[in-house]
Amino acid sequence: MLRPTIGCEVHAELKTATKLFCGCKNEFGGQPNTHCCPVCSGFPGTLPMLNRKAVEFAVKAGLALHCEINRFSKWDRKNYFYPDLPKAWQTSQYDLPLCVGGYVEFTLDGEKKRVRLNRIHLEEDAGKLIHDGGVSRVDYNRCGVPLIEIVTEPDMHSAEEVTAFLAELKSVLKYTGVSDVKMQEGSLRCDVNLSVAADGAPLGTRTETKNLNSFRSVARSIAFETRRQIELLESGGTVEQETRRFDDNRGIGYAMRSKEDAHDYRYFPEPDLMPVVFTDDDITAIKNGIPELKDARCARYAALGLPAYDAEVLTADPEVSDLFDNVVGLGADAKKASNFIMSEVLRLAKNGDEIEIKITAAALAEILGMLAADEINNLAAKSLLADVWGSDASPRKTAEEKGLLQSNDAGAIKEVFDAVIAANKKQAEDFLAGNDKLRGYFVGQVMRAAGGKANPKLINALLDEMKGK
Ligand code: ZN
Ligand code: MN
């Protein structure tokens, strides 16, 4: 039985204000070639100046991922010729990267898995080629944007493991605040190294599929490449070491070029940049700047009395966890807030592989407060959330305008209730004789007669009273 062995190289753009070696804006979008200067456009004679924040961010990510931080690391030129790279070399780190070792841990099908990291280095991004109608153009806005490249050991054996690893990695990076990890904007990209071999046999020849930018496309490309290599080997062929692409539209992978080895890049030390040297105090200072991470939050939520499942769901994304913290800080009940966020808020917030929270903690706390005070019912709370989602409308005003407030006027409800009982004598007798299925019928009838706004708790209390409970 042949099975795949998979390692990943993940590139994450760091969200510094400026680029790695110049003062140009680091910002997604913008008119092509408007965030450029002679340094990041590779003019001869210009000199790079290292962005301190980018180094700090890379180390922060490394610490959160349990890496060793090299006290001495240096820069190297990775030479290759391609139109998206105007200098014709990428300033990267070869033999002395910022971070070594480390791991990512996650649970898959109830089992704890650990994927070891080989290293994390800091490097600059290249520009972007745009091919359109037989013409190719290049946008250098992305050129020189700081990237961390996270290299794993070949510790994974299925698409499920790889996507679970990526989800966890994405979450850790988002928690540290160093990258916004948006796969569809390209700020997180994954290269998949895959080979197949019999279990226990030495690893086979691997191929590398580049620049996958969604969990779905990672999973599909792994399925495709595994099948391709197995079929090739079983029909007596050999796997060529090569760099491949995956075409998401057609669902197939194809060879791009024969894979180069490190020596093909003619790596050599970057003469224009000083090595990076850290003291233990420097590292401690960066460590102290790391915000509260997932495990600490899970422990805090357990102390609040939340089930482990809730803690896991709420902390998968720091934005969701922050929202929960703030809503509870504003007085909401922890379990009720957790239920509402896990079901209703997350349903609206999920956009492909990303989570986009489009409500403030104050607005959400107001909705939960109205629900707790019986001013609105569950159904109204859901529709109110959808109404104020993505707007700055006041939930209370919206509820008033849309007539979502429910009546707690006991006298008025009793009047409607009496009229409904009088009009349904037979059912009332059956109900009193013990047919409790009619409870729902009466709640529905009273609710309808009251225009859907009666507090169902009060209707149920009237039914109890009638039964002499
Ligand atoms: Zn620049
Ligand atoms: Mn790289």
Side-chain angles (χ1 to χ4, degrees), residues 19 22 24 36-37 40:
K19 292 184 180 181
C22 63
C24 289
C36 308
C37 72
C40 56

Side-chain angles (χ1 to χ4, degrees), residues 56-71:
E56 187 190 314
F57 277 9
V59 170
K60 233 182 205 181
L63 290 169
L65 292 166
H66 317 282
C67 301
E68 260 318 302
I69 309 303
N70 270 331
R71 296 304 190 261

